[in-house]
Structure formats: structure tokens, C-alpha cells
Amino acid sequence: MTRRFGGAAALLLFATTAPTALQAQDVELPDTLAVTSYDVGAASYNQAVALGTALGNAYGTSLRVLPATSDVARLIPLQQGRVQFGVVGSESFNAVEGTEAFSAPEIGPQPLRMLVGSNSDNCFTLALRGDAGIETIDDVKGKRIAFVVGAPALQSNVAGFLSFGGLSWDDVEKVEVASFGASWEALINDQVDAITTLTTGGLAQQAAASPAGLKWLPLPASNEEGWKRLQAVKPQFSPRKATLGPNISKENPLECAGFPFPVLLTYPDQDPDLVYNLTKAVNEQFDNYVKIEAAMVGWSEDRQDFQWVVPYHEGAIRFWKEKGLWTDEAQAHNDALVKRQELLTQAWEKVADAPEGEKTERWLEERRTALKAADLPTYE
């Protein structure tokens, strides 16, 4: 597995100006930091690049961005200590739960911790070819949907959106593609009718400018039964009105699905002082990186969701307490999430000696049993 990730491409962003003395006193960062992200062109990659530019300009810190095409590939370098942080998406939920790709024998549940989450004016849904004849979820039946190989979090996004209309993968034509970027190529090249994505990013603009044009699948909040079905598959989603993205605006909003994306996270053993300083830097440089990447408006301090599905790191909590934003309710929620992680870790340890061919099945059963015994949702 190590060889598989060792050749991944990387981008090194260098500072363009020296930090001021005041900034150096306020924020202490190393000369170089490294993060993982989605592959080149994806929204999280673009946001990591914008963040790197802002950190370089303000503090002289170079941010190395390591793109990867699969959920596991984005976390393995972080797990191995090759990078300090991840700028990732919904796989963070699957990782802490030990589900989907993270139910594999060599992975298991990951005790991740957040620093910042982006709750932007964009959202998740299905991007549609403009000529696909899709207006509502009912029209998706029988259409060609991209299935990103090695990205079960994206696959489950699609499953969630399909479930909104009482559909499943069996009701559509599954078209395998190699990566998230390749799914956009397939959409533009008329190989698929729909893909799962965020409404922002360069590839969305490219699709909107193509001859077929670009539409978005609406997920109306008024469809309560649809949302119950969707959240049974993807509990991290909630209704959102998006105003950011091609063919979307404040005058023409889109009802769709939102959750913090991307999230900046790490492992609990990461240096609390480094986490504190990076969280502070992200907060202080908001005005600078949002000028580069408008979708990063969701990184603002007033948009943080401190009661999401992944707990916060102690270093980040220290900063958010200083800002007066961390509440007793947030702490109680965080403590509950940490206890859930501890329970899952203990359940994983119980199947440590299981044969590799049986470990995933035994783990998922042990996970289900442990959560039910603790009267906690299993999210299955």
C-alpha cells in the first residue's frame, strides 16, 4: 500500500512575501506544511491552493498539497505522518465510522479531529448534462450515472441522492470512471448524464460552458420523506440553499444538500500548538484567501458548525474558546463523539485477529453490535 501512494504528484507553493514581525508573533508556523486533498481541479484542491497562497504571503510558510484520487489515499499519508493535515470531504465521516472503504482489513476506524469546516454558499447534489432531460429526481431513473472507482464516499453520495427519490444504483446505468476529475470529463463528453459534485470549482464552470450546458438536481427541503431517506444513507447532509456555482445565484438559488466541505483535519496526536496556530492562521487570513477562491466564504468563523459528525482537536478548541465561539453544548457534543470513537476503536480491536478474508464482515457486525448496545445510531 505504501508504494501505491508514494508516487502521488505534489504541488509546492512558495511564499511571495516575507511575514511581518507582528504576524510572526501572533502566529507561529513551520517553514513548510503539507496537506492532502482531492485531485487537481477539484474544489478542495483549489481551496487548499488558495489557503497555501495566503499562508505563504502572510507567514512565509510553504504549503505542499498532495492530491489523491481515492478516499483512503487522502488519509494514508496523514496516518503515516507524511503530511500533517488533510483538506478532505465526506470520507472523514466514513473514516471515523470505519465504514465503506475504511471497513477494509488494513484500515478500520480512524480517530480524526477537525480544525475548521467550510459551510459555504455552495452545496452537493447531482450535476446534470443540460440535454439529459432531467428536471427532478424522478427523471434520474434509467440515466447514466458516474461511479468513481475507489471513492466509496462519492458512491454513497450518489446513493443518498438516489434514495431521495426512492431509487438506488439498480435503477440507473452505472458508468465506472477512474477519478473525480474523470467523472467531469465523462459528463462533458456525453458518457454520463449525471455525477455527484459540489456546485463550485473550475470543472463545473467548464461543464457549464460546454455545448450541452449544465443543470443541477434540486433536493427540496419540503420533501420531508425524501430527506429522511437521504439522511438514513448520509447523516452528515442537511438541506441547504446554494447561491454559488454556475447557473446559481441569490436570485436563482438551488435547494440541495450541505455539510462542511472541505474540512481541515488531523489526528489527535498532532501537536496542539501547531493545530492552534494553524486554526488561528486560517481564521486571520480569511479576507485574503476568499479573494482567491470565493467558495471559501464557508471557512468564516461565523459559519462553523461545532456540532457536526467529527470531533474537534484540542488545539482547535483552544482557539475557538478564545474567540468565544465554543459553547458548553459544543463541548458536550464533542465529548460524545470522542466516546463514540473510543467505542469503535475497542470494537475494531476485538476483530484484530480475524482472518483477512473475514475481517471486514466480522468488523461490521461487531461495530453494529457495539453501537446498538450503547443505544447509538449505526447509520446503515
Side-chain angles (χ1 to χ4, degrees):
M1 176 171 282
T2 302
R3 289 195 300 273
R4 179 181 173 189
F5 304 114
L11 175 67
L12 190 61
L13 302 173
F14 291 96
T16 58
T17 62
T20 66
L22 179 60
Q23 287 171 324
Q25 290 174 1
D26 287 345
V27 173
E28 296 180 4
L29 293 175
D31 293 338
T32 302
L33 287 171
V35 301
T36 56
S37 82
Y38 280 70
D39 47 342
V40 177
S44 71
Y45 180 88
N46 294 340
Q47 294 189 33
V49 170
L51 177 62
T53 300
L55 295 181
N57 290 341
Y59 313 112
T61 296
S62 298
L63 186 69
R64 180 171 173 258
V65 183
L66 188 71
T69 60
S70 74
D71 299 346
V72 173
R74 282 185 285 278
L75 286 182
I76 286 294
L78 184 59
Q79 182 192 53
Q80 294 176 340
R82 292 167 48 204
V83 303
Q84 298 103 324
F85 301 97
V87 181
V88 300
S90 60
E91 69 268 28
S92 56
F93 172 72
N94 301 124
V96 298
E97 291 291 322
T99 54
E100 298 184 359
F102 297 92
S103 66
E106 66 275 17
I107 304 296
Q110 302 296 304
L112 298 173
R113 298 289 188 273
M114 283 180 57
L115 284 71
V116 181
S118 177
N119 293 283
S120 188
D121 293 326
N122 53 9
C123 71
F124 281 90
T125 186
L126 293 182
L128 314 168
R129 276 184 63 87
D131 60 1
I134 302 174
E135 299 295 334
T136 70
I137 186 62
D138 294 334
D139 301 324
V140 175
K141 188 172 183 178
K143 298 296 184 179
R144 302 166 299 171
I145 312 295
F147 182 94
V148 181
V149 176
L154 295 179
Q155 297 163 10
S156 67
N157 282 355
V158 176
F161 299 144
L162 291 174
S163 69
F164 184 82
L167 304 174
S168 72
W169 277 106
D170 293 335
D171 297 304
V172 298
E173 181 182 343
K174 181 168 64 176
V175 180
E176 292 190 354
V177 296
S179 67
F180 175 74
S183 71
W184 276 108
E185 293 178 9
L187 187 75
I188 293 170
N189 294 332
D190 196 19
Q191 296 168 312
V192 300
D193 300 305
I195 67 172
T196 181
T197 184
L198 199 62
T199 58
T200 49
L203 294 171
Q205 295 288 351
Q206 185 179 342
S210 69
L214 179 68
K215 289 185 177 181
W216 304 102
L217 179 70
L219 302 167
S222 59
N223 188 339
E224 296 181 3
E225 291 303 314
W227 268 102
K228 285 181 182 179
R229 290 191 295 266
L230 194 160
Q231 289 176 321
V233 177
K234 301 289 287 189
Q236 62 269 52
F237 278 131
S238 59
R240 177 185 291 179
K241 274 194 177 181
T243 58
L244 199 59
N247 306 322
I248 305 171
S249 65
K250 291 182 180 179
E251 295 72 30
N252 183 38
L254 173 71
E255 290 192 88
C256 41
F259 68 85
F261 179 87
V263 293
L264 179 62
L265 50 72
T266 189
Y267 279 83
D269 59 357
Q270 185 59 256
D271 179 8
D273 289 334
L274 174 59
V275 173
Y276 168 85
N277 278 279
L278 181 56
T279 308
K280 185 174 184 178
V282 169
N283 190 67
E284 290 188 351
Q285 294 307 310
F286 173 81
D287 289 339
N288 293 321
Y289 55 69
V290 80
K291 292 176 184 176
I292 304 170
E293 187 66 31
M296 295 183 77
V297 65
W299 294 60
S300 173
E301 63 181 41
D302 62 352
R303 295 197 182 200
Q304 296 306 302
D305 181 358
F306 297 117
Q307 298 186 49
W308 194 50
V309 295
V310 178
Y312 279 72
H313 193 283
E314 60 176 302
I317 292 174
R318 191 205 320 170
F319 173 75
W320 294 120
K321 281 183 176 179
E322 287 181 2
K323 294 293 294 183
L325 298 174
W326 190 261
T327 64
D328 291 342
E329 291 78 13
Q331 188 63 55
H333 182 78
N334 214 71
D335 292 343
L337 290 178
V338 171
K339 287 183 178 179
R340 182 183 177 95
Q341 286 190 354
E342 292 171 349
L343 182 150
L344 293 173
T345 298
Q346 293 167 5
W348 178 255
E349 291 172 351
K350 290 183 179 180
V351 300
D353 297 329
E356 185 168 327
E358 302 175 12
K359 190 169 184 177
T360 294
E361 183 178 355
R362 288 178 58 179
W363 151 244
L364 293 175
E365 181 59 35
E366 185 64 40
R367 175 185 178 277
R368 184 180 304 111
T369 299
L371 289 171
K372 286 184 176 180
D375 199 25
L376 293 172
T378 60
Y379 299 132
E380 293 179 320

